[in-house]
């Protein structure tokens, strides 16, 4: 038994060894075979001669006794096992020569494939990098980020870090106790601090944060639970990037001091690995979450990172946490919190998904469609070519090439084309990724660049191989089925291609057109949205408006100084030449905020709906020159007085008047600010002015809420404000001057993120524009490919029907009749494709809905114009072969076989 | 002198047996089989070579170029130790098979 196994093993080993040896010395085996066979024949011949035959007779007898030399040689070669490879190499050489001979065809195929594959690689790499790739932590599938959403924010797709709601330490403690759900949980929020006059973003987290992520420090250690108490010495952990860039990877960094502006110095106790920066690319430091005396205080924008116990689903966690909250509110909360809880309907949301997921998936779909269309084209081209070579193939078959051998030959050809296409496509995608990276990083500062990586290459090779198979073998299979290879048929052009092949080819074209139609409609809808968005009147004049942040808190600890400094700053800014108007407003975020501050007001004399607390509006705090600086027109009344106005004065916009005061005189209306819980201070104020509607939240997010403006200038100390300037000068010319004026007031005053509003306004659309243009590009590609496809199929058909067309024209068909015959053929194919495409679009555009603005998914204009465009182009594509058909000389056609 | 059709594997066994008594070239092997069987078995000469090639691939025999009797270059084959093992195994199997067949033929049922 063992002996048998042993012998089997040896058998295999010997065969492998000899096979490999054969690969390296193919000629030796051949030579030896030739020698020994020749020897055998000579020996045999001599044997027969000795028996008395003549030399010639002996030779013949020897050969007869031996058998068919070549055939026997083939059998020997079979046993060597190298035959496959040798044949393959030979096929490849032959294919390469054939392809070189038909340069036009090869070029068309390679370029088509390169474009399609390139597009797919680019999008897929981005998708993989941003969405599919795992977080670089252990068991990332168990990591979740838990945050609150309330009624207002729940429906919006907000980036992490854009929530008003936060969590409290006592919640953290409660959740920590749920040990059957969480292996570990931590609480954190992001903060910005100035270090050596540059602003850094960092994480303030509980000590358990590092345990949740299961990371080890590169240097030193992480902070502990004890260090979360304010009495301990303040410490900080640096991120790897900060350590590398600012401290040049100094190995002795531990123990050195790190200081935020105007805060006591911190001791550096460790350096965190770079993997933590995948959570947010801008993280530079980690500080302990300080235990708060007020445990229930919610820090805005805080959230939990948790590692779930394996097998625990997010839904379970969500329900449990909600139950805890509800219970707490019923048992322990005061009435105020209770009401807030009910009002806000806080829920939990957990995700790790990336904000661009949907868009990228959509783009991937589009790119895939283009790839399919390209493949269809190429297959049709190859089909035509195979038909041309039918004669050659049938000769080969009769000489002994099996279907396998023929298949191998066709596969070789298509493999060379596919791999060439894949290589060039990779080059294209490298370029494509380069531009996408620029676009991505300007969209979302937290992402890192996407790169081509090994997985992608593997996928490309697999795809290319699969494509080669399909492209090479389908035409062959069709020809084989039609039987035209099995018989040598010189008049092969006259015979039908085989019904199967023809239907297949036509079906492919119809599919192509359908996909193109769907893509084009999608692109059309997106473009219309883009146009609609840019048509939105912002309501103010963003060009020439410069905005920058100024933070007083970090420079002046004494609050009483803030008002004076602020006024001084405004004064010196006004002195700068080229500045037309200066104002300030509250807020340290962008002008175009992604989240909303909405409040409720009661209007004197306007009854409220039952159950309503008041009318809902946006509030903005500004000074008197705001409208002038922003270019918002003043319609009635006046703006706020500079340097202070009477308390209780409001300015509203025209939407407010239209909605709530139709037919009334706004300037005598009184308003009272109401809290969302229904109570008010009964502090009625008066409207003193009405201004035009300004889209300060961005063009595509109008929620129809009116804006009420309140005066900031009433000597209220603000720890920071947004400086807004109208100027004719450029950013580069005015910013240094502004900075130096600030420095004259105090050397540590700094102007943060100065930028022109029109750039920011324009950038709001960046995402939308990028996607629209990409889909548009795909659509154009698809249209071109489809046109080529129709042209190819029709001209092939004309070739095939040469004889028939010749006969037709000989018996009297006019040029026009022949022309229209071919054109109709093309139109029928296109038409059926369009019908399928339009129907498909009804369903598919549903997925686009989130991207559209003021355009319905069934927008008639797009659904009409896209097919018409395709129809025109396919007419053109059909016209060329039709012309060729017309030019067929009946005499020649009938003569040529 | 009748030509029998060779059952599968028998040719290899016979070649190995011939080579166990000394190395031969292809023609020599065919001749030897013919002689040793008292001219009962004739090998179709050409078909020898693919079989020899196969056996060589599996390491049962080893081939080397040398000068033959008529001063021509020929390939001489020798049996390897692995081949010897296979020969023994095949021989045993063949004898069992032959005995079994003979027994059935002898019985009178």
């Amino acid at each position: 038994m063992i002996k048998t196994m042993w012998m089997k093993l040896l058998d295999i080993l010997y065969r492998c060894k000899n096979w490999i040896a054969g690969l390296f010395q193919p000629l030796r085996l051949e030579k030896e075979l030739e020698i020994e066979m020749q020897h055998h024949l000579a020996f045999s011949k001599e044997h027969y001669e000795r028996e008395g035959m003549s030399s010639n007779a002996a030779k013949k007898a020897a050969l007869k006794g031996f058998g068919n030399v070549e055939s026997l040689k083939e059998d020997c070669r079979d046993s060597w096992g190298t035959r496959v490879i040798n044949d393959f190499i030979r096929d490849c050489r032959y294919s390469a020569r054939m392809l070189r001979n038909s340069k036009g065809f090869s070029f068309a195929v390679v370029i088509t494939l390169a474009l399609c594959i390139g597009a797919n690689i680019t999008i897929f790499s981005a998708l993989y990098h941003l969405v599919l790739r795992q977080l670089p932590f252990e068991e990332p599938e168990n990591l979740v980020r838990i945050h609150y959403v309330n009624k207002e924010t729940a429906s919006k797709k907000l980036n992490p870090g854009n929530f008003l709601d936060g969590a409290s330490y006592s919640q953290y403690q409660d959740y920590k106790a749920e040990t059957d759900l969480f292996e570990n949980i931590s609480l954190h929020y992001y903060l910005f601090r100035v270090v050596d006059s540059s602003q850094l973003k960092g994480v303030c987290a509980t000590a358990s944060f590092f345990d949740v992520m299961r990371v080890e420090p590169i240097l030193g250690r992480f902070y502990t639970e004890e260090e979360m108490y304010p009495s301990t010495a303040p410490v900080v952990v640096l991120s790897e990037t900060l350590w590398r860039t600012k401290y040049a990877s100094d190995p002795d960094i531990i123990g050195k001091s790190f200081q935020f502006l105007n805060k006591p110095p911190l001791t550096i106790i460790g350096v965190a690995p770079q993997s933590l920066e995948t959570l947010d690319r801008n993280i530079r430091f980690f500080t302990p979450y300080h235990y708060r005396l007020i445990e229930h205080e919610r820090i805005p924008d805080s959230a939990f990172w948790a590692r779930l116990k394996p097998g625990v689903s997010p839904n379970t966690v969500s329900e449990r946490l909600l139950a805890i909250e509800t219970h707490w509110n019923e048992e322990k909360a005061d009435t105020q919190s209770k009401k807030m809880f009910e009002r806000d309907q806080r829920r939990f949301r957990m995700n790790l998904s990336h904000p661009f997921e949907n868009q990228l998936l959509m783009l991937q779909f589009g790119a895939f469609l283009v790839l399919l269309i390209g493949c269809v084209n190429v297959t049709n081209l190859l089909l035509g070519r195979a038909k041309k070579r039918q004669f050659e193939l049938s000769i080969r078959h009769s000489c002994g090439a099996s279907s396998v051998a023929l298949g191998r030959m066709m596969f070789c050809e298509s493999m060379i084309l596919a791999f060439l296409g894949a290589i060039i496509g990779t080059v294209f995608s490298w370029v494509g990724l380069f531009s996408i990276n620029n676009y991505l990083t300007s969209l979302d500062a937290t992402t890192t660049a996407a790169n081509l990586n090994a997985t992608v290459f593997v996928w490309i090779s697999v795809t290319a191989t699969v494509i080669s198979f399909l492209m090479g073998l389908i035409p062959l299979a069709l020809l084989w089925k039609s039987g035209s290879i099995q018989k040598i048929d010189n008049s092969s052009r006259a015979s039908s291609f085989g019904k199967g092949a023809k239907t297949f080819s036509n079906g492919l074209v119809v599919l192509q057109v359908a996909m193109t139609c769907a893509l084009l409609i999608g692109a059309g809808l997106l473009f219309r949205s883009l146009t609609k968005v840019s048509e939105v009147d912002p309501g103010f004049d963003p060009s020439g408006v410069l905005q920058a942040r100024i933070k007083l808190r970090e420079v002046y600890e004494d609050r009483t100084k803030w008002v004076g400094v602020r006024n001084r700053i405004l004064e010196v800014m006004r002195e700068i030449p080229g500045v037309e108007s200066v104002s300030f407003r509250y807020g340290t975020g962008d002008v175009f905020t992604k989240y909303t501050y909405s409040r409720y007001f009661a209007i004197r004399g306007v009854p409220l709906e039952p159950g309503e607390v008041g009318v809902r509006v946006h509030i903005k705090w500004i000074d008197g020159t705001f409208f002038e600086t922003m270019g918002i027109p003043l319609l009635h009344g006046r703006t706020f007085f500079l340097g202070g106005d009477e308390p209780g004065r409001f300015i509203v916009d025209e939407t407010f008047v239209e909605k709530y005061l139709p037919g009334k005189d706004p300037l005598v209306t009184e308003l009272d600010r109401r809290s969302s819980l229904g109570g008010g201070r009964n502090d009625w104020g008066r409207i003193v002015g009405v201004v035009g509607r300004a889209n300060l939240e961005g063009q595509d997010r109008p929620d129809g809420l009116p804006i009420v403006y309140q005066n900031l200038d009433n000597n209220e100390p603000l720890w920071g404000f947004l400086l807004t300037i109208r100027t004719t000068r450029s950013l580069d010319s005015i910013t240094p001057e502004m900075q130096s004026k600030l420095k004259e007031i105090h050397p540590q005053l700094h102007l943060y993120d100065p930028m022109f509003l029109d750039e920011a306004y324009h950038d709001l659309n960046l995402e939308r524009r990028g996607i629209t243009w990409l889909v548009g590009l795909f659509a154009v590609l698809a249209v071109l490919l489809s046109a080529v496809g129709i042209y190819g199929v029709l001209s092939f058909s004309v070739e095939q029907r040469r004889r028939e067309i010749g006969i037709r024209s000989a018996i009297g068909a006019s040029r026009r009749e022949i022309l229209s015959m071919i054109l109709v053929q093309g139109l029928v194919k296109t038409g059926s494709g369009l019908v399928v495409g339009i129907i498909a679009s009804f369903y598919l555009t549903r997925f686009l809905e989130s991207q559209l603005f003021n355009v319905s998914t069934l927008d008639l204009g797009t659904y009409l114009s896209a097919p018409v465009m395709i129809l025109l182009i396919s007419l053109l594509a059909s016209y060329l072969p039709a012309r060729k058909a017309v030019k067929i000389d009946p005499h020649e056609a009938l003569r040529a076989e | 002198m009748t030509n029998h059709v060779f059952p599968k594997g028998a040719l290899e066994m016979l070649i190995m047996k011939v080579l166990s008594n000394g190395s031969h070239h292809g023609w020599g092997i065919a001749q030897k089989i013919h002689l040793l069987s008292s001219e009962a078995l004739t090998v179709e000469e050409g078909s020898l070579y693919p079989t020899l090639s196969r056996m060589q691939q599996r390491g049962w025999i080893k081939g080397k170029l040398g000068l033959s009797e008529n001063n021509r270059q020929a390939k001489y084959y020798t049996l390897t130790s692995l081949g010897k093992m296979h020969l023994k195994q095949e021989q045993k199997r063949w004898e069992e098979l032959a005995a079994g067949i003979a027994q059935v033929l002898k019985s009178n049922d």
Side-chain angles (χ1 to χ4, degrees), chain A residues 367-594:
Chain A
F368 190 67
L369 275 186
V370 172
L371 178 67
L372 278 182
I373 296 178
C375 284
V376 163
N377 251 358
V378 167
T379 310
N380 264 334
L381 283 172
L382 283 171
L383 212 57
R385 198 175 138 76
K387 181 67 175 151
K388 282 205 185 110
R389 297 174 60 192
Q390 189 182 301
F391 187 55
E392 173 212 337
L393 287 173
S394 44
I395 296 274
R396 277 177 184 263
H397 177 68
S398 65
C399 280
S402 63
S403 54
V404 173
L406 287 178
R408 205 175 46 221
M409 201 180 70
M410 302 290 275
F411 175 72
C412 243
E413 266 189 36
S414 48
M415 192 194 72
I416 294 180
L417 288 173
F419 272 91
L420 262 181
I423 291 171
I424 299 183
T426 312
V427 171
F428 282 170
S429 72
W430 192 74
V431 171
L433 268 181
F434 191 69
S435 28
I436 273 198
N437 275 331
N438 285 338
Y439 160 72
L440 276 179
T441 48
S442 61
L443 266 189
D444 181 356
T446 64
T447 61
T448 51
N451 280 315
L452 294 174
N453 60 16
T455 323
V456 175
F457 276 118
V458 168
W459 275 108
I460 298 170
S461 319
V462 167
T463 319
T465 316
V466 168
I467 293 177
S468 334
F469 259 115
L470 294 176
M471 282 174 15
L473 299 181
I474 290 182
L476 183 67
L478 289 171
L479 277 182
W480 190 266
K481 269 235 177 85
S482 76
S484 32
I485 297 187
Q486 282 87 336
K487 51 186 194 308
I488 301 178
D489 195 348
N490 209 345
S491 59
S492 52
R493 293 196 177 171
S495 65
S496 73
F497 194 174
K499 247 179 142 194
K502 214 177 193 176
T503 326
F504 185 70
S505 180
N506 288 339
L508 285 181
V509 172
V510 168
L511 201 65
Q512 241 186 348
V513 174
M515 291 193 281
T516 309
C517 183
L519 256 181
L520 199 59
I521 288 180
L525 289 175
L526 285 175
F527 265 104
R528 283 207 73 170
S529 297
L530 192 63
T531 325
K532 287 258 161 106
V533 165
S534 50
E535 279 169 7
V536 168
D537 176 18
F540 61 98
D541 184 10
S543 66
V545 178
L546 175 77
Q547 174 192 272
R549 266 183 284 227
I550 295 186
K551 293 189 186 173
L552 299 177
R553 178 169 64 184
E554 285 148 3
V555 181
Y556 299 93
E557 279 188 18
D558 185 1
R559 293 179 120 232
T560 57
K561 291 204 181 135
W562 288 352
V563 180
V565 171
R566 180 176 84 221
N567 287 332
R568 177 106 184 90
I569 294 177
L570 295 176
E571 238 179 76
V572 301
M573 290 299 164
R574 288 193 185 105
E575 288 166 10
I576 301 179
V579 168
E580 291 168 7
S581 161
V582 175
S583 79
F584 72 99
R585 54 184 282 245
Y586 179 64
T588 50
D590 299 313
V591 179
F592 311 111
T593 52
K594 287 191 181 120

Side-chain angles (χ1 to χ4, degrees), chain A residues 11 18 32 36 40 66 79, chain B residues 46 49 53 57-58 75 77:
Chain A
D11 190 34
N18 285 321
E32 284 183 4
E36 69 176 338
H40 188 118
F66 190 82
S79 73
Chain B
Y49 288 96
S53 193
Q57 282 294 104
R58 300 172 86 148
K75 199 166 181 186
Y77 290 98

Side-chain angles (χ1 to χ4, degrees), chain B residues 44-103:
Chain B
E44 194 185 299
E45 301 159 28
S47 68
L48 207 54
Y49 288 96
T51 313
L52 283 171
S53 193
R54 256 199 319 274
M55 291 164 73
Q56 210 180 353
Q57 282 294 104
R58 300 172 86 148
W60 295 356
I61 58 178
K62 238 195 305 210
K64 209 165 89 165
L65 288 179
L67 276 183
S68 78
E69 298 92 358
N70 57 355
N71 262 338
R72 291 181 103 94
Q73 264 213 319
K75 199 166 181 186
Y76 280 85
Y77 290 98
T78 40
L79 194 64
T80 62
S81 40
L82 181 63
K84 280 199 191 108
M85 278 200 284
H86 272 278
L87 174 60
K88 248 201 306 199
Q89 197 182 49
E90 291 297 304
Q91 204 166 349
K92 185 159 159 247
R93 249 203 252 141
W94 179 260
E95 281 162 4
E96 283 172 4
L97 179 68
I101 292 176
Q103 201 166 16

Side-chain angles (χ1 to χ4, degrees), chain A residues 30 39 62 657 751 859:
Chain A
E30 274 291 334
H39 168 265
V657 174
L751 207 67
D859 178 50

Side-chain angles (χ1 to χ4, degrees), chain A residues 656-675:
Chain A
F656 188 93
V657 174
E658 276 166 26
K659 239 180 153 171
Y660 302 121
L661 308 174
K664 297 202 172 85
D665 179 11
L667 296 181
V668 300
T669 316
E670 293 186 335
L671 299 177
D672 180 30
R673 171 96 175 269
R674 287 289 153 90
S675 93

